[in-house]
Amino acid sequence: MERTGTILRGREFEPIEGRIVIDDDGRIEAIEEASVEGSDIILPAFVNAHTHIGDSIAKEAGGGLSLEELVAPPDGLKHRLLRQASPEELIDAMRRSLQFMQRSGTAACLDFREGGIEGVRHLEQAAEGLPIDALSFARGSIDAMHAGDGFGASGANDAEFGDERAATRAADKPFGIHAGEVDASDIDPALDLEPEFLVHVVHPERDHLERIAEQAVPVVVCPRSNVVTDVGLSPYTALNERTTLALGTDNVMLNSPSMFREMAFLSKCSELPADEILRMATINGAEIAGLECGLIEPGRRARLTILDGDSHNLAGARDPVRAVVRRAGVDDVREVLLDP
């Protein structure tokens, strides 16, 4: 199997005109530079590094509510709606969100999974038969973490999470935690847990930034969500200078799980260059989760998003990386290869 076009190769997304040769095991056998017909743009499939797709039953609910009123456990609007929904409703709604992510070029999502063991099982059922990797960063109990792929803590002001952190180490699974979303008060205690990654970090102070750098803790940022909930925007440049950043779309009730929209928004509200934002949406999230995707190189799995470079939206683009980050959308997707 092969695909031809402008290939965004490696960590720097060097545009190469040519072909990708894919072997029978679904791995990239070769990348050959050559003059080819067609104008497709071939990029790594995305990794959505922070989602709450259980919210898929409540899209656009709670307009005008504060962050606490929307999502704070146990009685935020989201949690009340989750309790009211049947398992069948939850599973169907999550599956539709996963199908949308797949259609829009996402290979994997890191989902902070509500509902304990049952919630983990619901996500497994929602993803059954789909080529997208839906990883459960379970919350609610250590048993749920063992059933899932890691632990996703709500925030260090909600609980100490010491036992959960020790359990993830013993199980050799990742521990992620929300921090600094509303204010700075939970950043130091979150860092004390030595997590594999932090989520949000909207309000770090100088000493927090230095601790993040010293501990080399990656940060997943969710800019559209932070604007919707009116908590502000993370200091993207300062964080990027100190650590690895990845990109997530957060709660489906607040935003569509579209990495195209997330990249475009971030590109317009920050000074981060387009290639850095594309890394945040691909290889950086993959490395946080220990996934073998997000990068086009020989030997890698061929998990690819292929855009129609001659679509009405993309025709005439002079810089393919900027075009992908700032302009492209699901309507430009010609093909998504996740399990070739």
Side-chain angles (χ1 to χ4, degrees):
M1 179 191 302
E2 64 179 46
R3 293 294 184 271
T4 61
T6 298
I7 303 160
L8 303 186
R9 178 176 183 170
R11 289 180 178 272
E12 303 304 318
F13 305 111
E14 177 188 2
I16 295 172
E17 183 182 3
R19 62 178 58 86
I20 296 177
V21 181
I22 302 168
D23 67 21
D24 292 339
D25 294 325
R27 294 188 175 275
I28 298 172
E29 181 177 310
I31 299 171
E32 301 173 350
E33 192 166 355
S35 178
V36 298
E37 294 184 3
S39 55
D40 286 353
I41 301 171
I42 305 173
L43 61 141
F46 303 121
V47 175
N48 191 335
H50 185 63
T51 61
H52 292 270
I53 69 166
D55 301 358
S56 300
I57 60 161
K59 297 168 186 171
E60 305 309 320
L65 298 181
S66 69
L67 177 63
E68 183 174 359
E69 291 169 327
L70 282 169
V71 302
D75 292 319
L77 175 63
K78 160 181 139 171
H79 297 280
R80 299 199 307 272
L81 293 173
L82 288 174
R83 287 194 294 268
Q84 293 167 9
S86 70
E88 293 76 18
E89 289 170 328
L90 292 171
I91 292 164
D92 179 67
M94 288 192 292
R95 186 174 182 84
R96 298 190 72 166
S97 287
L98 290 170
Q99 289 172 320
F100 172 81
M101 283 192 267
Q102 176 186 334
R103 172 69 181 87
S104 55
T106 295
C109 65
L110 283 60
D111 195 63
F112 272 36
R113 190 88 290 276
E114 292 91 357
I117 294 174
E118 185 180 27
V120 172
R121 301 300 179 226
H122 288 166
L123 184 57
E124 290 173 349
Q125 292 175 64
E128 186 174 358
L130 301 179
I132 187 171
D133 292 329
L135 304 185
S136 287
F137 283 76
R139 58 202 333 188
S141 72
I142 291 172
D143 287 341
M145 177 274 294
H146 285 296
D149 302 287
F151 192 89
S154 57
N157 287 341
D158 295 333
E160 293 183 355
F161 294 112
D163 291 342
E164 290 83 354
R165 183 65 183 105
T168 58
R169 284 197 181 98
D172 194 25
K173 292 186 177 183
F175 178 93
I177 185 169
H178 295 86
E181 186 174 8
V182 176
D183 58 42
S185 63
D186 60 357
I187 300 178
D188 275 329
L191 287 168
D192 290 343
L193 292 165
E194 299 181 345
E196 270 69 43
F197 63 96
L198 302 174
V199 181
H200 294 304
V201 192
V202 177
H203 300 286
E205 298 169 359
R206 179 170 294 276
D207 60 326
H208 301 130
L209 292 171
E210 297 315 311
R211 283 197 69 186
I212 288 169
E214 289 168 8
Q215 294 180 215
V217 182
V219 174
V220 180
V221 296
C222 308
R224 286 187 301 152
S225 170
N226 296 154
V227 168
V228 171
T229 57
D230 198 29
V231 297
L233 293 171
S234 303
Y236 304 111
T237 299
L239 286 167
N240 190 57
E241 289 170 349
R242 291 166 171 82
T243 193
T244 298
L245 294 186
L247 196 60
T249 60
D250 206 11
N251 297 70
V252 175
M253 73 184 296
L254 306 178
N255 295 294
S256 71
S258 166
M259 295 298 281
F260 287 115
R261 288 193 177 189
E262 206 68 40
M263 290 191 302
F265 185 84
L266 180 59
S267 75
K268 293 172 173 65
C269 69
S270 77
E271 297 180 354
L272 296 175
D275 62 335
E276 189 61 48
I277 292 173
L278 188 53
R279 270 188 292 278
M280 293 167 62
T282 54
I283 186 61
N284 291 358
E287 290 182 342
I288 287 173
L291 298 171
E292 192 191 358
C293 57
L295 188 67
I296 299 178
E297 285 289 8
R300 290 274 184 161
R301 290 181 67 191
R303 310 197 83 185
L304 309 172
T305 298
I306 301 171
L307 305 182
D308 177 5
D310 194 40
S311 70
H312 294 316
N313 184 38
L314 297 179
R318 303 297 181 90
D319 183 328
V321 175
R322 281 176 58 87
V324 167
V325 169
R326 297 176 63 89
R327 178 176 294 273
V330 65
D331 289 343
D332 301 307
V333 175
R334 183 190 297 280
E335 184 181 15
V336 180
L337 289 178
L338 297 185
D339 192 15

